[in-house]
Amino acid sequence: MNANPFSLAGKRVLVTGASSGIGRAAAIECARAGAELLITGRDEERLLATLQALDGGPHRAVAADLTDPEGIERLVDEARGLDGVVHSAGIACSRPFPFVCRKVLDGVMEINFYAPAELTRRLLRASAVGRGASLVFVSSVAGLGCSAPGESAYAASKGAVSALARGMAIDLAPKGIRVNCVCPGVVETALFDAGTVTSEQLEARRRAYPLRRFGRPEEIAWAIVYLLSDASAWMTGTDLKIDGGLTLI
């Protein structure tokens, strides 16, 4: 254990979705905390920009689409001796339920649930995750029953992630592998630019938060660093809410 239990010095960490948003912030903060990183994302140009922003080293980047078995295989081949995995890759979906067709559900579940589940399974089968490692899934308060209009498909995918993590925590405990989720409220990321939510709708949602603002990517990343570190060594199967007080009201 490190003298500073919050340090990630000497730890190897894989971060998915590292080309933008929470994943990019998680990679940057993990590097600042001393971790050696393997980062992945679908957009190679933005992924390499994240790689250039990382402190220390040596860090590596592997561009991969985690919905493609070949992409997962390529990433697993590069991942060895991992002390931590951060599953941050995901998509948002804002659509009233009557307009949520099977294609939409499949698309959201494929990226938000099946991809991290299959990647984790493959990493474990390849013995790429060491004893005492920490797995962190980026879920959402939407998956814990605090959803908003148009979020049914997204909430379902994140609820599945949180349920999966709790089951995995039990199955992997004999190996000392911990599994936890961070569950953010709305975070200011590039997803705001998707055009699916109006500025008026965003302002109404912002006023619903007791702290009167949305979260920032680095604030979620700091919680991820904590869950990867020795400071959280007795935490597993937890949904850690980071929501500006939203679920209090």
Side-chain angles (χ1 to χ4, degrees):
M1 183 174 288
N2 292 315
N4 175 6
F6 296 93
S7 171
L8 299 184
K11 295 184 183 291
R12 294 178 179 175
V13 176
L14 165 63
V15 179
T16 75
S19 56
S20 63
I22 292 172
R24 185 177 194 274
I28 290 172
E29 297 304 324
C30 285
R32 286 176 177 169
E36 176 187 333
L37 293 179
L38 171 61
I39 61 173
T40 189
R42 290 186 292 183
D43 189 313
E44 185 171 17
E45 183 177 351
R46 291 191 301 174
L47 185 67
L48 292 177
T50 299
L51 184 65
Q52 292 298 314
L54 301 182
D55 291 341
H59 307 298
R60 295 174 292 151
V62 176
D65 180 349
L66 300 184
T67 65
D68 180 357
E70 291 184 1
I72 289 182
E73 182 176 358
R74 186 165 60 252
L75 184 59
V76 171
D77 286 343
E78 292 289 331
R80 290 293 181 270
L82 295 176
D83 302 292
V85 179
V86 180
H87 291 288
S88 183
I91 60 170
C93 178
S94 180
R95 184 175 299 199
F97 184 73
F99 302 98
V100 176
C101 62
R102 178 61 182 266
K103 182 178 180 180
V104 170
L105 281 173
D106 286 346
V108 174
M109 292 297 291
E110 182 69 27
I111 294 175
N112 288 0
F113 176 74
Y114 289 116
E118 178 62 8
L119 174 58
T120 304
R121 187 187 71 82
R122 291 288 304 277
L123 289 170
L124 291 168
R125 296 282 291 183
S127 299
V129 178
R131 292 189 65 87
S134 174
L135 311 181
V136 182
F137 290 82
V138 177
S139 184
S140 169
V141 294
L144 302 180
C146 188
S147 191
E151 283 191 346
S152 56
Y154 176 75
S157 70
K158 292 302 187 177
V161 165
S162 286
L164 175 72
R166 289 192 293 271
M168 287 174 56
I170 295 172
D171 289 343
L172 300 179
K175 296 183 178 181
I177 296 174
R178 300 181 295 111
V179 189
N180 292 288
C181 291
V182 291
C183 298
V186 175
V187 175
E188 294 177 346
T189 69
L191 293 176
F192 274 33
D193 302 326
T196 57
V197 182
T198 67
S199 58
E200 291 79 9
Q201 289 171 321
L202 281 174
E203 182 56 33
R205 293 189 68 175
R206 183 182 290 108
R207 289 197 300 270
Y209 284 76
L211 290 182
R212 293 296 187 269
R213 68 174 177 86
F214 296 141
R216 294 187 289 268
E218 61 270 22
E219 292 171 326
I220 312 307
W222 295 331
I224 290 170
V225 170
Y226 167 66
L227 290 175
L228 292 170
S229 75
D230 295 334
S232 62
W234 209 45
M235 286 181 65
T236 194
T238 296
D239 289 301
L240 182 59
K241 293 183 292 186
I242 314 169
D243 64 356
L246 179 66
T247 51
L248 295 173
I249 56 178

